Amino acid sequence: MPEGDTVWQATRRLHDALAGKVLTRSDLRVPKYATADLSGRTVLDVTARGKHLLTRVEGDLTLHSHLRMDGSWKVFTNDQRWTGGPAHQIRAILGTHDRTAVGYRLPVLELLRTADESRAVGHLGPDLLGPDWNPERALANLLTDPARSLGEALLDQRNLAGIGNVYKSELCFLLGVTPWLPVGVLPADRAAKLPALAKKLLEANRDRPVRNTTGRRGQNLFVYGRAPRPCLRCGTQVRVADQGDGSRERPTYWCPVCQIGPVPAPGSPPTRRLRPRTPR
């Protein structure tokens, strides 16, 4: 799943290609907006809000998209061949005199009034890479439900916006606790440094082509995707198990020595916690 740093990079590419230019081509390939035409309008800016992309166009219009698991925006020059996937996966085309942005496999695509953007992103917590970042509010949001597992709380974009499954696992490792530890049990000193640590990780990676949380070349992540290889810190075999939020089970990685807290019993089903589904 694209995370806050990946979405930030996509947003910057779109902004650099489209902002300040008049659209010469507009094709929204979803039934509700099949007849919508943005041609002739100037793109004002493209900005990220958590994992959401907002392309603002003159006339008080915003094209809202969300990448979820496999969506992507690609930018091409007019002489380039489009390489983001087969044509039937294209959901949006925005073209100018010299660039074309193509949205592939976009599960969320809607055109709304810019004044109504809060309908799409108003539920989000403080954005780790945004101007509204507020570490105190983010921590207070996380602690609202003390019985909830830390991993689920970090993925809930209503608490803080931008963390996905990779950063969830890496943050828990760096904090020395398992993703199944109830938020309310997180030691106060570790809870206090969580927001700053999360922001540091995303800011360090928003300009990198390859995400790195370790500072080591060739060993980019401490635990995510490393099972059953040894932990980079202690050499113990990294473990993996599913952790669910009621909508999708996500592989979650941890070191049984470096991280304290509860873990799933071998062979036990993932814990499900049903919550209203909102694009995160």
Side-chain angles (χ1 to χ4, degrees):
M1 171 186 287
E3 310 202 15
D5 53 347
T6 307
V7 174
W8 192 91
Q9 292 172 15
T11 300
R12 185 175 62 177
R13 289 193 298 270
L14 288 174
H15 183 86
D16 291 346
L18 303 177
K21 299 178 183 178
V22 176
L23 291 174
T24 58
R25 182 177 183 183
S26 166
D27 187 0
L28 306 182
R29 299 182 179 179
V30 293
K32 186 175 181 179
Y33 304 107
T35 60
D37 187 3
L38 301 176
S39 300
R41 299 175 186 263
T42 299
V43 177
L44 303 179
D45 69 83
V46 185
T47 191
R49 183 72 176 86
K51 301 180 187 179
H52 300 249
L53 291 89
L54 303 171
T55 303
R56 299 181 178 120
V57 182
E58 68 173 341
D60 189 39
L61 291 175
T62 295
L63 185 64
H64 165 231
S65 58
H66 192 291
L67 306 181
R68 285 196 182 162
M69 293 300 292
D70 6 81
S72 68
W73 278 98
K74 304 287 186 180
V75 176
F76 305 97
T77 59
N78 291 341
D79 59 351
Q80 281 183 305
R81 178 174 174 269
W82 297 357
T83 57
H88 72 267
Q89 293 182 348
I90 295 174
R91 296 293 175 266
I93 302 172
L94 299 176
T96 70
H97 72 284
D98 64 345
R99 294 286 189 277
T100 301
V102 185
Y104 290 89
R105 301 171 299 277
L106 300 175
V108 175
L109 186 70
E110 63 173 340
L111 192 62
L112 63 155
R113 293 290 177 187
T114 300
D116 296 332
E117 284 180 359
S118 61
R119 289 199 298 105
V121 297
H123 65 287
L124 298 175
D127 187 344
L128 283 154
L129 295 178
D132 71 318
W133 173 243
N134 184 321
E136 292 80 16
R137 182 181 160 210
L139 182 57
N141 289 346
L142 287 168
L143 295 173
T144 298
D145 185 354
R148 194 177 191 189
S149 68
L150 178 59
E152 288 186 27
L154 289 172
L155 286 182
D156 191 335
Q157 304 298 292
R158 293 169 294 186
N159 292 331
L160 67 171
I163 292 178
N165 208 35
V166 177
Y167 283 117
K168 175 193 79 172
S169 294
E170 294 295 291
L171 272 169
C172 288
F173 176 83
L174 290 169
L175 291 170
V177 298
T178 70
W180 291 271
L181 185 80
V183 175
V185 181
L186 185 65
D189 60 329
R190 303 185 201 191
K193 69 180 184 181
L194 188 159
L197 180 58
K199 184 173 179 60
K200 179 181 178 180
L201 288 180
L202 265 73
E203 282 192 333
N205 284 287
R206 68 182 183 182
D207 294 316
R208 290 175 177 165
V210 179
R211 185 179 291 134
N212 185 295
T213 62
T214 66
R216 306 179 188 182
R217 183 174 299 178
Q219 295 178 325
N220 294 317
L221 301 173
F222 281 109
V223 289
Y224 187 86
R226 287 191 55 82
R229 287 176 289 170
C231 171
L232 295 180
R233 183 174 291 168
C234 73
T236 304
Q237 186 181 80
V238 172
R239 308 288 176 83
V240 60
D242 284 340
Q243 185 174 34
D245 65 355
S247 62
R248 180 183 292 272
E249 306 307 326
R250 294 177 173 86
T252 300
Y253 299 82
W254 79 99
C255 171
V257 171
C258 294
Q259 295 170 254
I260 61 171
V263 298
S268 63
T271 300
R272 291 181 178 269
R273 184 174 180 140
L274 299 178
R275 300 175 66 83
R277 293 190 64 183
T278 307
R280 305 194 305 175

